Amino acid sequence: MKVAVVGATGLVGTEMLKVLAERNFPVTELLPVASARSVGQEIEFQGKKYKVVSMDDALAARPAVAIFSAGGAISLQEAPRFAAAGTVVIDNSSAWRMDPTKKLVVPEINAHTLTADDKIIANPNCSTIQLVVALNELHKRYRATRIVVSTYQSVTGTGKQAVDQMMQERAGQTAGNPAYPHRIDLNVLPHIDVFQDNGYTKEEMKMVLETKKIFRDDSIRLTATTVRVPVIGGHSEAVNVEFAQEFDLAEVRELLRQTEGVELVDDVKNNVYPMPQGAHGRDAVLVGRLRRDETQPKTLNMWVVADNLRKGAATNAVQIAEVLLEMGLLK
Ligand SMILES: NC(=O)c1ccc[n+]([C@@H]2O[C@H](COP(=O)([O-])OP(=O)(O)OC[C@H]3O[C@@H](n4cnc5c(N)ncnc54)[C@H](OP(=O)(O)O)[C@@H]3O)[C@@H](O)[C@H]2O)c1
């Protein structure tokens, strides 16, 4: 199967190639696409060398599937061209997520809704994916009515330029081409993506809107504060969730143990809880620090960590491709 990876030289694209190889996705011909700066550069995939090609060359090769991770503007412009040529596009940017004609897919929750008509499929935002995976079974059992989430997000969520900025600052240098408006090393920025008219950032509003869309439940009230921290390895989230039904903590633990994609990491007596260092390079969404909110009934506090480049981006996209393959929708 011909597979195009658009943004193949980026942080998400590089992880995408790793995940495709690890999961033995049946790639017969890889079409790695990047900007004009990188065309001709060699990358390695499954022991073979491939040259980075231009968008037009990849399109002309008519891949069965194209996985886009090269920013929203490129997805808006290029994804429809691939779709028109018969390629199924799985898009990691925010370009199509809230388009009512496009599906926003987390395979553990809503892969069954995919059909042959879905030519552009949106991968949700990384901070939304780990939240909804962690909540999936709990929401089915007790129905989440209100969620308050504060995030602690890795610099890898911003891309190569941000990792370079942090590493240069850490080495005592002034970053040449900073990704953020402030220093990130030894600092915390309550600012991810652009500010909106309502005072929230776009990242915060993505969590609100995408969660409702994925759970097909507009009644969920969610409020978020998204924060960048000088961390590599994964995003962390403090989640306070109020349910319609009363819950039992032992049952919550059992439900989380049974939740697809979740690993319960919760043994505080032995200082065991999820951390980005434990999530790095892994696909599981780690959940721990489970406790009742003692200030109001039916409310749970938990701590959720996942590698934003894996389940938050590459793994989720490849899982969507695997479902399409199983359903016979990739030609
Ligand atoms: N990082 C995350 O956790 C995360 C999670 C979910 C979704 N995403 C989304 O994934 C996308 C990429 O993120 P990233 O973190 O991988 O960024 P990144 O490290 O900066 O990589 C960007 C990639 O896009 C390519 N690119 C830039 N301009 C292009 C053009 N005109 N035509 C073709 N390719 C072009 C770059 O190629 P060159 O190397 O040639 O510049 C590079 O391969 C963004 O839309 C982001 O929102 C990121």
Side-chain angles (χ1 to χ4, degrees):
M1 179 163 297
K2 282 190 198 171
V3 177
V5 174
V6 180
T9 54
L11 286 189
V12 175
T14 304
E15 205 63 38
M16 198 71 72
L17 297 177
K18 260 196 234 166
V19 174
L20 283 167
E22 277 172 24
R23 297 175 76 98
N24 288 317
F25 194 80
V27 180
T28 51
E29 187 184 340
L30 178 75
L31 300 155
V33 182
S35 76
R37 293 180 290 278
S38 307
V39 169
Q41 185 185 310
E42 272 189 346
I43 59 151
E44 208 175 297
F45 177 71
Q46 292 186 313
K48 265 173 82 176
K49 296 220 189 301
Y50 289 88
K51 281 208 160 63
V52 172
V53 298
S54 70
M55 195 76 77
D56 284 350
D57 285 350
L59 181 60
R62 294 185 172 260
V65 59
I67 308 179
F68 273 65
S69 314
I74 291 162
S75 295
L76 270 181
Q77 188 182 310
E78 302 294 338
R81 294 176 71 214
F82 278 78
T87 298
V88 180
V89 172
I90 301 169
D91 183 42
N92 266 302
S93 80
S94 58
W96 303 100
R97 290 178 191 150
M98 293 315 298
D99 181 327
T101 67
K102 307 287 180 287
K103 302 219 171 112
L104 185 59
V105 176
V106 176
E108 292 86 342
I109 300 173
N110 57 2
H112 60 276
T113 61
L114 290 168
T115 69
D117 293 334
D118 297 312
K119 294 298 181 207
I120 299 178
I121 299 159
N123 208 56
N125 182 41
C126 40
S127 36
T128 309
I129 292 179
Q130 67 185 71
L131 176 70
V132 295
V133 168
L135 284 175
N136 190 21
E137 293 301 327
L138 300 180
H139 181 50
K140 278 188 209 155
R141 173 74 178 81
Y142 310 114
R143 198 164 66 79
T145 54
R146 181 166 189 261
I147 302 162
V148 183
V149 58
S150 303
T151 70
Y152 306 68
Q153 295 182 224
S154 162
V155 292
T156 56
T158 317
K160 284 184 291 194
Q161 192 189 345
V163 177
D164 290 348
Q165 175 180 344
M166 187 180 77
M167 289 311 188
Q168 284 166 11
E169 290 169 350
R170 196 157 285 195
Q173 299 157 5
T174 305
N177 182 22
Y180 303 118
H182 302 283
R183 181 188 173 99
I184 182 64
D185 195 39
L186 301 175
N187 205 5
V188 158
L189 310 183
H191 174 188
I192 299 184
D193 210 330
V194 294
F195 284 100
Q196 314 279 277
D197 289 344
N198 64 358
Y200 286 81
T201 63
K202 196 169 169 201
E203 183 84 355
E204 289 160 353
M205 294 315 296
K206 283 178 204 164
M207 293 193 79
V208 172
L209 301 171
E210 292 179 19
T211 300
K212 290 174 190 247
K213 180 164 175 176
I214 294 163
F215 281 142
R216 290 175 174 230
D217 186 347
D218 270 341
S219 72
I220 297 179
R221 291 170 299 144
L222 188 151
T223 185
T225 304
T226 59
V227 180
R228 189 72 66 191
V229 292
V231 162
I232 281 177
H235 293 350
S236 305
E237 297 177 349
V239 182
N240 177 272
V241 51
E242 186 178 350
F243 295 107
Q245 307 294 323
E246 186 49 276
F247 62 84
D248 170 69
L249 259 188
E251 191 186 55
V252 165
R253 275 177 215 287
E254 200 41 48
L255 282 171
L256 285 167
R257 272 193 204 96
Q258 289 165 15
T259 304
E260 203 185 339
V262 164
E263 188 178 314
L264 187 63
V265 181
D266 194 25
D267 177 12
V268 290
K269 286 202 182 84
N270 291 305
N271 301 331
V272 173
Y273 33 75
M275 292 181 289
Q277 294 235 336
H280 197 184
R282 302 192 50 208
D283 292 326
V285 173
L286 311 182
V287 182
R289 296 292 324 275
L290 292 175
R291 63 221 188 271
R292 277 184 180 282
D293 178 342
E294 294 180 339
T295 68
Q296 61 174 12
K298 302 178 196 165
T299 307
L300 177 75
N301 276 312
M302 60 182 182
W303 178 250
V304 178
V305 181
D307 187 334
N308 50 296
L309 295 175
R310 300 276 305 191
K311 182 59 184 167
T315 305
N316 199 70
V318 174
Q319 287 172 325
I320 294 173
E322 288 171 349
V323 172
L324 295 170
L325 188 70
E326 269 170 37
M327 293 172 99
L329 299 178
L330 295 184
K331 305 266 180 313

